[in-house]
Amino acid sequence: MTDPVTALQAKTHPVWEAAADLVVIGSGVAGLTAALRAQELGLHVLVVTKATVSDGNTRWAQGGIAVVLEGEHERGDSVGKHAEDTLTAGAGLCEEDAVRSIVAGGPAAVARLRAEGARFDPAAEGRPELARTREGGHSAFRVIHAGGDATGAEVERTLVATAGSRRIPVLEHHIAVDAIRTPAGEVVGVTVLDHNGVPGVVRAPAVLLASGGLGQLYQATSNPELATGDGLALALRAGAQVADVEFVQFHPTVLFTPGARGRLPLVTEAVRGEGATLHDATGASVMRGVHPLGDLAPRDVVSAAITRRMAQAPGGVDDHVFLDATGISGFVKRFPTVHAACAAIGLDPAREPIPVTPAAHFACGGVVTTVDGRSGVRGLYAAGEVARTGLHGANRLASNSLLEGLVVGRRVAEAVAADLATGQLADPRRGMLAPPVKAPVADRDALQRAMSRYAAIGRDAEGLSVVGSVLDLSVVESPLWTPRIVEDAALTLVAEALVAAAARRTESRGCHVRTDFPERDDDIWQRGQLIRLSPSGQPVLADPIALEGVA
């Protein structure tokens, strides 16, 4: 009879190997932008993605790209004002140099995307100027969009088409499991599994994590099922540090359907930008007197206000409020995606208000990197939602995510090329395949219920302790030998990291709302929190980040 260890080794031993100069994990805006630029620079690139190349979170982004285009902006607006709005939304935790650097890169990034064939909505038929809208936290109309409310889909279409025409190799339906490292700890590749659990190895001197977010930590999210925090977990296990993971932005308005779970249709913030207003079941305004920007306040403010109002159960309704868009003319043409989602549940937004509720939307924290995507581990890079560049701080400004993916995606490819040219990266032949390991895996349903109840918008010490207990009680040790187990192990690790950071941050700031510490405390907490793995594999809080930090 085969002993269990031998059987495990047989199941996890790679059956194939590939090689590249750069392996990109993820095929969204950051990953494909990086892959295309790396190929232009002469690098051999391989993209690894969990589903098909066009799946992922980018295509679900509705609102647009926040950018101040030269000669096409509101009178008085500027790149500097865009940066100031970003800093304000970030509630004191953005890194100013990073913000100004990334925002300044936006116009050129959009110009390149348009040159590759992206079609944005014009201000008027037959005119070159682009239409612009305004979203929460913005002081001007600077958000460009495509297909009304299908900007992400157009960005992804353009990048996928360009990657296809340039024959960028893509390994679909494969999940990255762990980094391959040298004896000195440098990253030189990744192990992967296909959808049947067949293992393989990709060796490369540079690995870019562009794997997206972690919305599946919660019962209700705008993210697809793929958003399980795999890249964050891989980075931690590879020795990288993460920061600001306690700041998970909840979008104020997803379409409410009783009993719905998983990815819920987004009702883009641009609907409020065009004049829609929030009210409760009695018809009372949700945002009146809450913030000077009213219904266009930053997302954390609106989400928290909705949550407070639902807790009061006005009119007997405690699980949603209403978005009144009946005054918007031409709703179907301007917001076809939202209209289709409403029509699917038998609702006409032109005639009746839309039931909405907050849902997990965007991870503001992630792998600590420079604005060029370099992490603290040689050979490991990150871009997009999985990265913490210093742009978002404690709360992301609306429509800055596609901007960040375009700007940092290109820069990270250039950083990899430079690091290769100067001999900064390790030889992949020195990488050692680690023996099969087991990881803690919590029951996903129990984890999501606990996180949604105790670690979402309103948190307190007692509730965060309950989440910790749920994780302890439901965790089992399991080999990472199927894609589902890899995802559940990632969710478990990321949940532990988030709860540790949220419990320690005894204040309310941005997306992080502590009901037992409702005030912002700049004397103690105007700083980020670093998290790394202990030798036993547990996330532990490291030294705080100075705000002039790594970016």
Side-chain angles (χ1 to χ4, degrees):
M1 177 180 287
T2 305
D3 68 88
V5 174
T6 303
L8 175 59
Q9 289 174 335
K11 273 196 170 188
T12 57
H13 185 76
V15 300
W16 59 267
E17 285 201 12
D21 296 319
L22 169 65
V23 56
V24 177
I25 311 301
S27 57
V29 57
L32 289 182
T33 299
L36 288 165
R37 180 56 176 156
Q39 187 194 59
E40 290 174 357
L41 295 170
L43 304 187
H44 175 207
V45 184
L46 175 63
V47 176
V48 176
T49 188
K50 285 168 67 173
T52 67
V53 66
S54 58
D55 286 325
N57 213 16
T58 292
R59 69 188 182 104
W60 298 108
Q62 290 182 355
I65 301 174
V67 64
V68 180
L69 299 175
E70 186 174 355
E72 291 187 61
H73 58 77
E74 185 177 334
R75 183 185 298 273
D77 196 16
S78 65
V79 170
K81 289 188 176 180
H82 182 184
E84 291 300 327
D85 287 348
T86 300
L87 291 166
T88 299
L93 292 194
C94 297
E95 295 187 4
E96 185 170 350
D97 288 348
V99 169
R100 297 194 183 281
S101 173
I102 293 171
V103 167
V110 169
R112 286 189 293 267
L113 192 65
R114 294 174 75 179
E116 290 171 356
R119 299 184 294 268
F120 292 95
D121 296 335
E125 198 68 36
R127 297 293 300 275
E129 295 86 4
L130 299 183
R132 299 185 305 274
T133 191
R134 181 181 169 198
E135 295 185 340
H138 288 275
S139 60
F141 285 75
R142 65 168 70 100
V143 178
I144 63 172
H145 47 81
D149 57 359
T151 309
E154 175 61 11
V155 170
E156 186 75 358
R157 181 202 66 78
T158 303
L159 294 173
V160 168
T162 306
S165 68
R166 297 185 189 177
R167 298 186 178 180
I168 298 281
V170 180
L171 195 60
E172 297 184 319
H173 302 291
H174 282 70
I175 186 171
V177 180
D178 262 325
I180 302 170
R181 302 169 71 189
T182 69
E186 302 138 315
V187 169
V188 287
V190 288
T191 57
V192 300
L193 295 174
D194 72 7
H195 63 286
N196 292 317
V198 176
V201 167
V202 181
R203 295 186 183 272
V207 172
L208 168 60
L209 299 175
S211 51
L214 42 79
Q216 292 298 322
L217 277 177
Y218 297 92
Q219 288 176 296
T221 178
S222 65
N223 294 185
E225 291 188 3
L226 304 174
T228 51
D230 315 335
L232 210 59
L234 186 152
L236 281 166
R237 291 194 295 265
Q241 293 184 324
V242 305
D244 298 339
V245 291
E246 66 268 42
F247 298 108
V248 177
Q249 183 182 83
F250 277 67
H251 197 286
T253 54
V254 300
L255 183 64
F256 173 78
T257 306
R261 295 281 296 272
R263 195 194 77 80
L264 302 180
L266 191 66
V267 180
T268 172
E269 197 154 2
V271 175
R272 280 177 285 132
E274 300 288 340
T277 56
L278 290 159
H279 61 79
D280 63 27
T282 70
S285 169
V286 172
M287 294 305 298
R288 182 176 294 130
V290 174
H291 191 277
L293 291 176
D295 288 272
L296 284 174
R299 287 176 175 174
D300 61 301
V301 176
V302 181
S303 292
I306 292 173
T307 301
R308 289 194 300 271
R309 186 62 61 91
M310 292 190 303
Q312 298 168 8
V317 178
D318 65 356
D319 51 8
H320 65 282
V321 295
F322 295 92
L323 182 65
D324 186 356
T326 56
I328 299 177
S329 62
F331 189 96
V332 177
K333 182 177 181 181
R334 175 64 180 88
F335 301 109
T337 307
V338 176
H339 186 272
C342 291
I345 63 170
L347 187 144
D348 182 358
R351 298 176 180 273
E352 53 192 318
I354 306 167
V356 294
T357 191
H361 186 55
F362 190 88
C364 296
V367 183
V368 178
T369 71
T370 66
V371 293
D372 303 309
R374 293 182 177 96
S375 79
V377 177
R378 185 167 296 182
L380 184 67
Y381 305 77
E385 190 172 354
V386 72
R388 184 265 186 202
T389 59
L391 174 65
H392 305 302
N395 186 34
R396 176 179 68 103
L397 181 66
S399 289
N400 267 357
S401 53
L402 292 176
L403 168 77
E404 182 183 35
L406 290 168
V407 173
V408 180
R410 182 178 178 88
R411 289 180 179 177
V412 74
E414 294 170 350
V416 169
D419 292 346
L420 280 168
T422 55
Q424 299 296 310
L425 303 182
D427 186 340
R429 292 173 296 183
R430 297 177 54 222
M432 303 181 301
L433 289 178
V437 296
K438 293 184 177 182
V441 179
D443 176 77
R444 186 181 297 199
D445 184 65
L447 181 150
Q448 289 176 332
R449 282 188 282 109
M451 291 293 292
S452 297
R453 174 66 181 84
Y454 299 111
I457 297 173
R459 305 163 176 173
D460 60 28
E462 183 179 359
L464 293 168
S465 178
V466 170
V467 180
S469 297
V470 169
L471 292 174
D472 289 342
L473 292 173
S474 68
V475 160
V476 295
E477 296 285 322
S478 176
L480 303 180
W481 57 14
T482 71
R484 175 75 179 199
I485 292 174
V486 173
E487 289 183 336
D488 287 350
L491 287 171
T492 303
L493 181 56
V494 172
E496 291 173 340
L498 189 157
V499 168
R504 188 182 185 190
R505 183 175 287 278
T506 51
E507 66 156 357
S508 291
R509 180 188 300 268
C511 306
H512 172 71
V513 178
R514 285 285 298 262
T515 57
D516 50 351
F517 293 95
E519 302 302 322
R520 172 169 156 174
D521 185 351
D522 283 347
D523 290 339
I524 298 175
W525 285 113
Q526 194 165 345
R527 56 184 174 86
Q529 295 187 92
L530 283 172
I531 291 179
R532 57 176 174 78
L533 287 195
S534 69
S536 63
Q538 293 296 310
V540 294
L541 290 153
D543 292 333
I545 305 172
L547 287 186
E548 59 271 16
V550 298

